Amino acid sequence: MRMARFFVTLMLALTIATPALAQDAKPIENEEFGVTITPPAKWEVAQGNDKAVANFKHPGSQSQIEVVGTKLMTPDVADVFFKTFHKTLKESNFEQKEQSEATYGEYKGTQTQYKFAHSGVTLEVTIFEFIKGNTAWLVVGYMQESDREKYQADFKSTIEGMTFK
C-alpha cells in the first residue's frame, strides 16, 4: 500500500513540477513483457518509476502517459492489481468522475477518469486497464484539466500502438 501511495505521489509531482528528460522518441521494446510501445508524435520518452514499462511526456504541457504491466500467476487475479491501484488514488484524494468499458483497437478493458486539484492546478487522470495473456496492463494519462481534450487522441494512440510478441 505504501508503495502504491508513493507511486501516485511521485507521478503527480513529476507531472506538475519536473521538466521532461528527453531521449530519442523511438519505440520502447521490453523483452520481459514482450511488448513494443510507440510514443505519440511530439512526445518524449521520459524517466519513469521502476514499475513503468514506458513513460512519455509532452514537453509543452508536461502531460504524461505511463504504461505499467504486471505479470499474473493467473488472469483472474488481475482484479486485485487494478483495485489496489484505484484504492490508492481514492485514498490520495483523487475524485473518481466516471468509469466505463472501453475498446482501443484490439484491446478491451475498463476506463476510469479521476480528477485531482492541488495548488491551483486540476489534474485529470485517465486510466485504461486491460489483460493481455498473463499480464495486467495500466495505461495512465496525467493531464491538466485544460489539456485533456487536446491530448486524448495521443493517449488512445499509445494504447492502439502497443504490439505484443
Side-chain angles (χ1 to χ4, degrees):
M1 182 66 88
R2 286 186 190 149
M3 183 64 120
R5 184 167 287 137
F6 171 77
F7 166 74
V8 170
T9 304
L10 176 64
M11 292 312 305
L12 179 61
L14 284 172
T15 301
I16 294 173
T18 64
L21 301 171
Q23 299 174 5
D24 291 335
K26 296 178 183 172
I28 303 294
E29 293 183 29
N30 184 287
E31 291 298 321
E32 177 186 357
F33 290 100
V35 66
T36 300
I37 306 166
T38 302
K42 299 181 182 174
W43 288 63
E44 301 171 334
V45 175
Q47 294 275 11
N49 68 59
D50 61 342
K51 302 286 184 195
V53 176
N55 192 22
F56 308 121
K57 187 171 279 189
H58 186 270
S61 69
Q62 300 302 307
S63 294
Q64 190 168 326
I65 298 171
E66 184 173 59
V67 181
V68 178
T70 191
K71 298 267 185 188
L72 305 170
M73 292 175 67
T74 60
D76 59 326
V77 298
D79 201 40
V80 174
F81 172 66
F82 296 142
K83 283 183 178 179
T84 300
F85 187 83
H86 291 283
K87 181 180 179 192
T88 301
L89 286 173
K90 290 174 184 174
E91 288 175 350
S92 299
N93 297 319
F94 283 71
E95 175 189 339
Q96 183 176 329
K97 293 174 48 180
E98 60 185 68
Q99 185 174 58
S100 62
E101 296 303 310
T103 300
Y104 290 100
E106 64 184 85
Y107 310 116
K108 294 181 183 195
T110 302
Q111 182 164 298
T112 309
Q113 291 290 132
Y114 286 93
K115 186 176 185 176
F116 181 81
H118 187 276
S119 302
V121 175
T122 301
L123 185 66
E124 294 266 344
V125 180
T126 303
I127 301 163
F128 179 67
E129 60 192 56
F130 67 102
I131 300 168
K132 177 74 175 173
N134 67 339
T135 303
W137 291 96
L138 289 169
V139 181
V140 186
Y142 302 90
M143 300 165 196
Q144 287 189 36
E145 185 177 43
S146 59
D147 291 332
R148 184 178 174 274
E149 291 298 319
K150 192 182 323 180
Y151 299 118
Q152 196 62 31
D154 293 337
F155 179 80
K156 178 182 177 182
S157 74
T158 300
I159 300 164
E160 291 177 343
M162 293 175 70
T163 58
F164 295 89
K165 294 180 183 175

